[in-house]
């Protein structure tokens, strides 16, 4: 089949951002499909293309599939309006691609939600079926965080309704996201969460740590975006509490985002000597850093909707690395860390409770045997439940089923 895969934030593992779409595109290509990945220039991504852009576009083969990259910068450090403009520019360029070649199926991966616009246009004007992947539910999460305005949320809601009801299938990263898709009219929904890259992260990786850390210290690493949704102020408050108690814990924040300058300024104002910051790292370097860490940190702002409407990619990286996890989340993440019937692989603290977060880290610092047991349970759960290769096989089946409509049915859809 000829598959157009739309993901504005695509990256190979050489970048510092998520690689789910790389893994899924590679899996589809390995099954004999002609896959074209269309993307923009996302901050921290590495697409694998090095030729100069011509007319705002370049393309080439990466890992067995075609990549079309548009010269449209986008990143978490940009303001809301600038990102919105980048989303719309990508939608326009991707629509021309969707309508310009004979595809059998289109896969539109959101975020951003505007990636659904090219798929909807191709369905209406060419009768091409599409699969809509929900990575972040819009407008549910922006509305819960108070980002945007009622008219914007209404517009995003109308787009989400059209995408879910018009898709041949919806792929959701959590059960909570699946519920929102069904409520918006999705006929077929598959829940396929973020998975673990067991080859990149794991016990055989050469470990490293930043220089100058106290000895001994428990190194607790947060690797991810520094934006409003991440609520990293809670980590600063926990670090302050740990420092006051002279606990042997160092917090390491790896990443970038709109709030990073303010976070680091606040850390300096608090005089935090137990908090270190690094810029985003390519995935292979991050794998070594996690191998040298003692705990993985998962942090989100205290928004109730996050409990069931998120599927954090960094959490899967921690599990694959065999790290015990301390998270400030309830819901799905808390159940995962509790082991859901198996051995626990981390500690979930109440959202917004910096004292509980600090206490969890201090507890693990004082109990190496418990840390080791949780780390073994984390890797075991990664292998048994979240192996990305197994999830990719199911992902391919959903896309293939959507593209198997008879050619006679692929007329313009009114």
């Amino acid at each position: 089949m000829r598959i157009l895969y739309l993901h504005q934030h695509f990256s190979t593992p050489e970048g510092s951002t998520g690689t789910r779409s790389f893994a899924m595109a590679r899996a589809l290509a390995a099954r004999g499909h002609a896959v074209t990945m269309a993307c923009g220039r996302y901050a921290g991504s590495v697409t694998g293309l090095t030729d100069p852009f011509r007319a705002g576009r370049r393309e080439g083969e990466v890992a067995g599939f075609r990549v079309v990259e548009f010269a449209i910068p986008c990143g978490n450090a940009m303001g809301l309006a600038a990102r919105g403009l980048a989303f719309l520019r990508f939608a326009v360029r991707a629509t021309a691609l969707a309508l310009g070649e004979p595809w059998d199926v289109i896969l539109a991966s959101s975020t951003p939600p505007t990636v659904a616009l090219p798929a909807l246009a191709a369905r209406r004007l060419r009768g091409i079926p599409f699969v809509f992947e929900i990575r972040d539910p819009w407008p549910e999460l922006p509305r819960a965080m108070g980002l945007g305005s009622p008219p914007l949320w209404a517009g995003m809601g109308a787009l989400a309704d059209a995408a879910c009801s018009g898709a041949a299938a919806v792929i959701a990263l959590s059960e909570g996201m699946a519920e929102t898709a069904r409520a918006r009219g999705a006929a077929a929904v598959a829940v396929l969460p973020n998975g673990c890259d067991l080859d990149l992260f794991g016990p055989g990786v050469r470990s490293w740590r930043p220089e100058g850390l106290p000895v001994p210290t428990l190194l607790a690493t947060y690797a991810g975006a520094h934006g409003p949704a991440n609520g990293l102020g809670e980590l600063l408050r926990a670090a302050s509490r740990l420092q006051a108690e002279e606990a042997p814990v160092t917090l390491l924040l790896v990443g970038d985002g709109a709030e990073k300058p303010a976070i680091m300024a606040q850390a300096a104002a608090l005089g935090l000597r137990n908090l270190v910051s690094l810029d985003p790292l390519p995935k292979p370097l991050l794998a070594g850093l996690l191998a040298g860490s003692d705990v993985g940190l998962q942090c989100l702002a205290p928004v109730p909707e996050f409990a069931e409407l998120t599927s954090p990619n960094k959490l899967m990286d921690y599990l694959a690395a065999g790290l015990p996890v301390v998270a400030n989340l309830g819901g799905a993440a808390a159940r995962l860390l509790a082991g859901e019937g198996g051995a626990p692989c981390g500690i979930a603290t109440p959202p917004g409770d910096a004292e509980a977060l600090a206490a969890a880290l201090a507890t693990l610092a004082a109990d190496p045997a418990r840390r080791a047991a949780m780390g073994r349970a984390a890797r075991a759960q990664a292998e048994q439940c979240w192996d990305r290769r197994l999830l990719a096989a199911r992902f391919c089946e959903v896309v293939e089923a959507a593209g198997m409509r008879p050619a006679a049915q692929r007329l313009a859809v009114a």
Side-chain angles (χ1 to χ4, degrees):
M1 289 194 300
R2 295 156 299 183
I3 301 171
L4 175 60
Y5 197 147
L6 305 174
H7 184 214
Q8 189 166 351
H9 303 339
F10 165 78
S11 179
T12 69
E14 297 305 312
S16 59
T17 188
T19 58
R20 176 185 173 97
S21 59
F22 171 82
M24 301 307 170
R26 185 174 58 179
L28 286 164
R31 290 165 75 109
H33 302 299
V35 179
T36 294
M37 172 67 67
C39 63
R41 297 185 63 194
Y42 187 60
S45 70
V46 174
T47 64
L49 302 183
T50 57
D51 289 342
F53 287 94
R54 292 182 173 83
R57 165 179 167 160
R58 63 184 176 184
E59 66 177 82
E61 184 172 312
V62 175
F65 56 92
R66 173 190 177 205
V67 174
V68 176
E69 181 182 2
F70 297 112
I72 303 173
C74 188
N76 290 328
M78 297 168 63
L80 216 57
R83 271 187 291 164
L85 179 59
F87 296 164
L88 291 174
R89 289 178 61 204
F90 178 80
V92 170
R93 295 299 301 267
T95 297
L97 181 60
L99 297 177
E101 297 186 30
W103 311 107
D104 293 303
V105 63
I106 294 175
L107 171 58
S109 184
S110 167
T111 205
T114 44
V115 76
L117 292 171
L120 287 165
R123 177 182 179 274
R124 180 172 182 82
L125 298 177
R126 298 287 186 270
I128 302 170
F130 73 92
V131 174
F132 184 51
E133 180 180 45
I134 305 175
R135 293 170 177 249
D136 296 298
W138 298 54
E140 287 81 5
L141 289 188
R143 183 170 55 213
M145 296 175 61
L147 298 176
S149 62
L152 178 62
W153 301 332
M156 287 192 290
L159 178 56
D161 286 345
C164 289
S165 62
V170 171
I171 294 174
L173 269 65
S174 73
E175 290 289 351
M177 294 184 207
E179 290 179 10
T180 67
R182 295 185 187 102
R184 294 188 178 281
V189 182
V191 178
L192 295 172
N194 275 315
C196 295
D197 189 334
L198 300 178
D199 296 323
L200 182 59
F201 298 92
V205 176
R206 184 177 180 181
S207 66
W208 67 277
R209 287 187 170 207
E211 296 181 356
L213 297 180
V215 179
T217 190
L218 176 136
L219 182 60
T221 298
Y222 169 88
H226 294 43
N230 306 106
L232 297 186
E234 184 172 334
L235 295 186
L236 301 189
R237 295 189 293 275
S240 181
R241 179 64 176 257
L242 289 163
Q243 182 168 284
E245 296 176 350
E246 299 184 352
V249 178
T250 299
L251 275 64
L252 172 59
L253 308 186
V254 183
D256 203 353
E259 295 202 345
K260 183 166 185 174
I263 290 166
M264 298 318 300
Q266 185 182 354
L270 291 170
L272 296 179
R273 300 180 303 278
N274 61 347
L275 188 138
V276 180
S277 174
L278 291 177
D279 288 335
L281 296 171
K283 286 288 186 176
L285 275 179
L286 177 62
L289 176 60
L290 294 185
S293 300
D294 300 299
V295 170
L297 284 172
Q298 173 65 49
C299 187
L300 284 173
V303 176
E305 286 79 359
F306 283 160
E308 302 295 346
L309 294 182
T310 58
S311 178
N313 186 60
K314 64 182 72 66
L315 178 56
M316 292 295 158
D317 292 346
Y318 300 153
L319 298 181
L323 282 178
V325 180
V326 172
N328 68 342
L329 288 173
R335 294 191 297 272
L336 183 154
L337 296 182
E340 294 187 298
C345 57
I347 301 173
T349 62
D353 191 338
E355 291 190 5
L357 188 65
L361 289 169
T363 295
L364 291 180
D367 195 343
R370 186 180 181 191
R371 288 202 314 269
M374 284 185 167
R376 290 191 296 270
R379 179 67 185 190
Q381 188 177 141
E383 293 172 348
Q384 295 165 14
C385 303
W386 314 116
D387 186 338
R388 181 181 278 175
R389 292 166 296 193
L390 300 179
L391 295 171
R394 176 63 182 138
F395 185 98
C396 292
E397 291 169 359
V398 173
V399 175
E400 289 164 350
M404 288 177 64
R405 289 174 55 188
Q409 296 180 21
R410 297 187 184 178
L411 304 174
V413 179

